[in-house]
Amino acid sequence: MPQLRVLVVGASIAGPMAAYWLAKAGAEVTCIERFPSLRKGGQVVDIRHSAVTIVRKVPKLEEALVASGAPLQGLQMVGKANKPLVAIQPTGIPEEQFLISDFEIFRDDLATVLYDLTKDNPSVRYVFGETVSAMRQEKEKVIVDFANGLLPQSRYDLVVAADGATSRTRALGFNCNVRDGIDPYNAWAAYCTIDKDLLNGSNMGEFSVSTPGRGIMLGPDHVKGANRVILMGNNPRDMPERLLPYQEAAKKGDNAMKTYLVDFFKGHGRDEILAAVAESDSLYATECVQVKFPRLFNGNFVLVGDAGYSPGPIGTGTTLAITGAYVLAGEINNHPGDMAAALQAYSDRMQPIIKDMQKIPAGFPSVMTPETDWGLWLRDTLLYVISYVMVVYQLKPVAQFFRWIAGVYCIAWARDSYGIPDYEWKA
Ligand SMILES: Cc1cc2nc3c(=O)[nH]c(=O)nc-3n(C[C@H](O)[C@H](O)[C@H](O)COP(=O)(O)OP(=O)(O)OC[C@H]3O[C@@H](n4cnc5c(N)ncnc54)[C@H](O)[C@@H]3O)c2cc1C
């Protein structure tokens, strides 16, 4: 049987992970990325349950992830007037995690680890600075035109869109609009690195909140004298008008976004962070959306990662991307010569996992970033009582207690129960 030719669009997490497993399934993979090099930026992302299972199937990957892990040791929840409330740390058990994962890694470091894993593989080729301009399907092949002339028009057995929640490739593959299938969450997040260490050398991050629905997470960086920051804004779902100023700023570019952020966080009490954000040259702001596309494939075109099932504000995107990339390649491996059956099997296996990981726990994200002063008081009091009970009754370790709560509250943080198969790879 001739070698399967696959085009993967997007080289962040889902793309390189899919390239690795597709090569194991015997495919020849071309992975293109719109940016001229691996894209920098992002705060920590988490690798949880099914993704931990999958990472452990790749020789030496767990060690590489630990070696590149973020220095973050935990998160200090800070209340009104920047009063420390409770410190949340990893559980110490990678299979059972809570808010802070045992595999906390900066998004760009994870992308680098996965790229390094695949870049010298003779079956995988990366092309940076390229994107798809047009695509059509004919006799079980996808004919692709490229925008920047780095690749000639080519025919593929499969095109994989791994280009994120607002995937343009998805719009081409399904002949629809970019916003189709997107469920807005009325929330946004902005990430950047600042050239100041406002944690004074500590590896304990800080999460401060203020009303209405504002949160700032400050974390350590590998580089001494620098911190990584996430700024977030959550609005009630029935008030889309509150998102308009953010969307206007996003359209205008980085300077407008910085002005918006300074204005949005007026009165939050961390002006020194905002001043450093205004100086940063690595700002990346994104609306938090869920992707709920009715189908994961169309003929020989398929979605993986955020492009197919971004979970939005709950932070399971990286776990889903790693899981989806593995299952897609595994089912192709298990259905030689029958792409339709392979993609159907991928979709059937992923749908319940996606449904589970897209579940937004009751009260989320208001529990994290309350919209009212009363909600903020309740949250702070609750956190204070928990930390007091922990100390007085010496309930240890705190994180395992929290994980137990998480297991009851939100299944997506609990242990791997998805029955991810062990595929027998060709290569
Ligand atoms: C710069 C950046 C920072 C992020 N920071 C965080 C974070 O701090 N915390 C968090 O939880 N999540 C973050 N995310 C999202 C997180 O990476 C994803 O939720 C998750 O890991 C799934 O990854 P993905 O590979 O499916 O999508 P993404 O990580 O969104 O990657 C999509 C990739 O496709 C590329 N691309 C986009 N359009 C095209 C195109 N038309 N042609 C070719 N390539 C294209 C993008 O440049 C990007 O490299 C970030 C994403 C990016 C891009």
Side-chain angles (χ1 to χ4, degrees):
M1 202 183 302
Q3 198 178 14
L4 212 61
R5 293 191 76 218
V6 181
L7 176 71
V8 175
V9 184
S12 174
I13 310 303
M17 196 76 265
Y20 174 82
W21 291 113
L22 285 164
K24 299 272 295 171
E28 178 199 293
V29 184
T30 301
C31 182
I32 62 168
E33 163 61 45
R34 181 164 63 104
F35 273 67
S37 56
L38 271 192
R39 206 165 162 182
K40 287 277 159 206
Q43 246 281 2
V44 284
V45 293
D46 304 339
I47 296 170
R48 297 173 182 275
H49 43 75
S50 50
V52 175
T53 307
I54 291 161
V55 157
R56 289 181 169 161
K57 294 179 192 293
V58 182
K60 301 201 175 106
L61 182 54
E62 184 174 0
E63 291 88 327
L65 295 178
V66 171
S68 302
L72 185 72
Q73 278 172 355
L75 200 57
Q76 178 74 56
M77 309 298 265
V78 176
K80 227 175 174 174
N82 293 320
K83 187 174 157 199
L85 289 168
V86 64
I88 298 172
Q89 285 165 301
T91 59
I93 310 169
E95 296 84 354
E96 293 191 33
Q97 306 180 14
F98 180 53
L99 206 56
I100 304 293
S101 157
D102 288 70
F103 292 110
E104 290 280 355
I105 181 164
F106 293 129
R107 189 213 60 95
D108 43 7
D109 288 343
L110 176 57
T112 303
V113 167
L114 297 179
Y115 171 70
D116 287 347
L117 182 73
T118 43
K119 71 178 193 314
D120 298 326
N121 186 325
S123 300
V124 179
R125 170 190 182 202
Y126 283 93
V127 179
F128 289 94
E130 189 54 283
T131 184
V132 173
S133 61
M135 207 162 49
R136 71 191 150 86
Q137 299 205 32
E138 203 179 272
K139 294 186 188 145
E140 298 189 21
K141 300 274 177 203
V142 191
I143 300 148
V144 179
D145 290 304
F146 295 93
N148 301 329
L150 298 178
L151 290 168
Q153 186 189 68
S154 308
R155 295 165 79 86
Y156 296 96
D157 299 294
L158 179 69
V159 172
V160 180
D163 52 342
T166 51
S167 167
R168 288 183 185 279
T169 317
R170 179 179 66 218
L172 293 173
F174 282 95
N175 197 16
C176 65
N177 294 315
V178 170
R179 296 283 298 188
D180 286 356
I182 284 186
D183 188 7
Y185 226 78
N186 262 353
W188 52 262
Y191 310 89
C192 70
T193 304
I194 56 172
D195 287 332
K196 274 213 165 85
D197 181 8
L198 299 171
L199 295 168
N200 300 317
S202 167
N203 282 336
M204 198 70 182
E206 257 182 39
F207 185 54
S208 60
V209 301
S210 63
T211 55
R214 305 186 291 192
I216 300 184
M217 187 187 146
L218 190 62
D221 190 45
H222 293 302
V223 177
K224 275 205 180 333
N227 286 158
R228 296 224 183 181
V229 181
I230 310 181
L231 305 143
M232 54 191 100
N234 293 310
N235 301 296
R237 288 205 80 181
D238 57 352
M239 293 186 168
E241 68 283 0
R242 288 240 203 123
L243 200 63
L244 293 177
Y246 163 83
Q247 287 171 329
E248 278 305 308
K251 268 189 225 149
K252 289 182 187 153
D254 277 2
N255 285 340
M257 182 54 73
K258 286 174 182 174
T259 308
Y260 170 76
L261 293 172
V262 169
D263 194 45
F264 183 79
F265 282 98
K266 233 176 225 150
H268 182 88
R270 299 306 303 265
D271 292 351
E272 73 284 20
I273 300 179
L274 272 303
V277 168
E279 299 292 310
S280 170
D281 59 3
S282 63
L283 188 65
Y284 169 73
T286 179
E287 205 182 309
C288 300
V289 296
Q290 287 206 324
V291 173
K292 290 186 168 164
F293 217 71
R295 301 188 63 209
L296 291 186
F297 65 98
N298 180 21
N300 289 32
F301 172 76
V302 68
L303 307 173
V304 73
D306 274 9
Y309 28 78
S310 166
I314 47 169
T316 47
T318 301
T319 294
L320 261 177
I322 292 173
T323 307
Y326 173 79
V327 172
L328 171 66
E331 294 303 332
I332 289 171
N333 184 76
N334 275 13
H335 294 84
D338 192 348
M339 190 58 81
L343 298 185
Q344 189 60 54
Y346 160 66
S347 175
D348 292 347
R349 211 174 262 288
M350 285 305 292
Q351 290 298 0
I353 303 178
I354 295 165
K355 198 167 164 223
D356 205 21
M357 289 203 219
Q358 285 192 331
K359 242 184 242 159
I360 306 278
F364 195 88
S366 305
V367 174
M368 298 285 285
T369 49
E371 278 128 31
T372 61
D373 286 346
W374 150 247
L376 183 56
W377 178 85
L378 193 68
R379 166 202 177 268
D380 286 1
T381 308
L382 211 70
L383 287 177
Y384 180 74
V385 170
I386 290 171
S387 68
Y388 182 80
V389 170
M390 292 293 162
V391 173
V392 170
Y393 293 96
Q394 298 193 342
L395 293 177
K396 295 260 173 173
V398 177
Q400 283 187 36
F401 172 78
F402 275 117
R403 202 223 58 82
W404 175 77
I405 296 180
V408 175
Y409 180 60
C410 170
I411 189 85
W413 275 330
R415 61 170 70 220
D416 179 13
S417 56
Y418 299 113
I420 300 295
D422 243 334
Y423 297 108
E424 284 188 22
W425 302 99
K426 292 194 179 72

